[in-house]
Amino acid sequence: MNISTFNSFKNRNFRLFFAGQSLSLIGTWMQKTAVSWVIYSITQSKFMLGVSVFATLFPTAVFSIFGGIVADRYSRFKILLITQILSLVQAVLLTLSIFFFKEFTVNAIIILSVLLGIINSFDVPARQSLVRELIEDPLDLPNALALNSSMVNLSKLIGPALAGFILERFGDQICFGLNALSFIPVIVSLLMMKLPIEEIKIRTERSIVNELKEALAYIKSNSIISSVIVFTGFMNFFVLPFTTLTPVFAKDIFNGSAATLGILDGIIGLGAFIGALYLASLKKETDLNIILARNTFVYGVGLALFSYTLSFNFALFFIAIAAFGMMGIVTLTNTIIQVNVPNEFRGRVISIFVMVLTSMMPLGSLLVGGISHYIGVQLTVLIEGIIAAGIAFLYFKYLKRRKV
């Protein structure tokens, strides 16, 4: 690791964004771990785990295209500030419902997850598009996005571990309450930013249908962007939903408790965090598409090795390898899009990317949850690992043909 790994921190706005999001995301991952544990503990249903993921992600997929159009029309900063405040309200409502209406816990989680999914459909395009505005030198954008991913995955390491401890010692409502409090730092950090005047101006309004057609035509004409979006769709439908099954591995395969789930999810965060730092250290001229294919293959191999490992320590090692590769998929697809898409299309293209990601992931979660009920979680994850390796091979072949 060298000094260039942290190039983006020379930008004051990005430092504020990074600091505020770091604390907020720890709370977010605490809540995600608590939701999975509570849902599975109450229902003992793998399918309901898939439903809980579907409830958050599918509304994001449905509304994200509108979120992208809004992000290209109006101040991305103001949109992000509003969505963070609404997320705080959602977290407070979830905490109160868990505390006062225990008998309706599952229903409350599903309903409020749908609400969060709608909020995220506007939050994600604005947040992802805004990162580019926080960086003065466009060449530092890949570094900023990689550091942003390292922040996300460090929170995956810390959040689930804290959640496992708090769930056992203090109860689920404390996890949800701490997540609500974690939105305060990110709101404060946003208010401390000094953004260019042009970012605060309202963008020219046009027909929503025409704006969507323009974005789709642009994606179709750009083979780099279109291939990355197709790749993302396949991976999010067939492979990435394996995370839905981590509570089953923790409780049934390793005979553990909430703390076991916290450790398992935390190690996934650690592997992804190391992967993000590796991506942040790449030279600016690196071919990100090749790295994407390689990381996907590593992800598949790690997942396959993890699937039937009965030793918890070895399982943690293999899942860390898988998470290292997974980080490349999550970060590089986003980076390739951000680097290659001009500002006037960025919000809409990101929203279409998010729509593919968030529609395929919940549908895949339902599929994986249903299949694992009949063939078992271990065989399901093994098949997912083999599919990931196969997709990596096909994508690498595609890249070679494109260069010819």
Side-chain angles (χ1 to χ4, degrees), residues 35 39 48-56 59 90 94 104-117:
V35 164
I39 290 286
M48 283 304 299
L49 285 173
V51 170
S52 68
V53 174
F54 183 89
T56 301
Q90 186 271 350
L94 183 56
F104 302 112
T105 293
V106 174
N107 291 335
I109 288 175
I110 299 300
I111 292 170
L112 289 170
S113 292
V114 171
L115 175 61
L116 182 61

Side-chain angles (χ1 to χ4, degrees), residues 58-345:
F58 194 72
T60 302
V62 172
F63 293 100
S64 64
I65 189 63
F66 299 104
I69 291 171
V70 169
D72 279 345
R73 285 186 174 191
Y74 303 102
S75 165
R76 291 158 182 163
F77 167 78
K78 289 183 178 179
I79 295 167
L80 183 58
L81 183 60
I82 291 169
T83 57
Q84 292 299 300
I85 292 171
L86 291 176
S87 296
L88 167 61
V89 173
Q90 186 271 350
V92 170
L93 290 175
L94 183 56
T95 305
L96 293 175
S97 64
I98 298 297
F99 190 81
F100 290 108
F101 305 105
K102 272 285 187 182
E103 63 273 23
F104 302 112
T105 293
V106 174
N107 291 335
I109 288 175
I110 299 300
I111 292 170
L112 289 170
S113 292
V114 171
L115 175 61
L116 182 61
I118 296 172
I119 295 169
N120 285 342
S121 69
F122 292 89
D123 177 271
V124 175
R127 177 156 38 90
Q128 296 287 358
S129 301
L130 184 64
V131 171
R132 192 164 176 173
E133 309 299 329
L134 306 178
I135 303 299
E136 295 177 7
D137 184 356
L139 293 176
D140 286 331
L141 181 60
N143 174 260
L145 293 171
L147 286 175
N148 194 50
S149 294
S150 72
M151 165 185 66
V152 172
N153 289 287
L154 184 59
S155 69
K156 285 184 185 179
L157 171 62
I158 298 172
L162 281 175
F165 173 78
I166 292 170
L167 282 169
E168 286 201 342
R169 296 295 182 91
F170 304 104
D172 46 20
Q173 58 266 54
I174 300 300
C175 270
F176 296 123
L178 288 175
N179 175 53
L181 290 175
S182 74
F183 283 101
I184 296 174
V186 71
I187 293 170
V188 171
S189 69
L190 287 171
L191 293 174
M192 291 175 65
M193 289 183 185
K194 297 177 181 178
L195 292 172
I197 297 298
E198 56 266 26
E199 171 55 31
I200 300 176
K201 290 180 180 178
I202 295 179
R203 289 159 172 76
T204 304
E205 292 195 21
R206 290 169 290 176
S207 163
I208 290 178
V209 174
N210 287 338
E211 289 195 46
L212 178 57
K213 286 181 178 178
E214 285 179 7
L216 291 172
Y218 173 79
I219 292 171
K220 185 178 179 180
S221 68
N222 191 314
S223 62
I224 294 175
I225 302 302
S226 57
S227 64
V228 165
I229 290 177
V230 170
F231 172 90
T232 300
F234 278 110
M235 289 300 297
N236 278 274
F237 184 74
F238 289 109
V239 185
L240 290 180
F242 97 91
T243 54
T244 306
L245 301 175
T246 53
V248 186
F249 274 91
K251 192 176 182 67
D252 297 343
I253 303 300
F254 300 117
N255 299 312
S257 62
T260 309
L261 176 61
I263 293 170
L264 190 59
D265 283 349
I267 291 298
I268 293 174
L270 175 62
F273 174 67
I274 295 171
L277 289 181
Y278 161 72
L279 296 176
S281 302
L282 293 174
K283 295 179 180 178
K284 294 180 180 180
E285 64 272 14
T286 301
D287 187 338
L288 299 181
N289 292 282
I290 296 295
I291 300 297
L292 176 59
R294 289 176 181 171
N295 274 43
T296 303
F297 183 78
V298 170
Y299 175 47
V301 171
L303 209 56
L305 291 172
F306 166 79
S307 61
Y308 273 94
T309 301
L310 297 180
S311 166
F312 188 56
N313 290 332
F314 278 113
L316 293 178
F317 176 72
F318 291 138
I319 202 63
I321 292 174
F324 177 94
M326 179 179 68
M327 190 65 259
I329 300 167
V330 175
T331 302
L332 289 174
T333 49
N334 183 29
T335 302
I336 291 168
I337 288 174
Q338 294 258 27
V339 168
N340 289 281
V341 175
N343 185 55
E344 62 267 25
F345 287 107

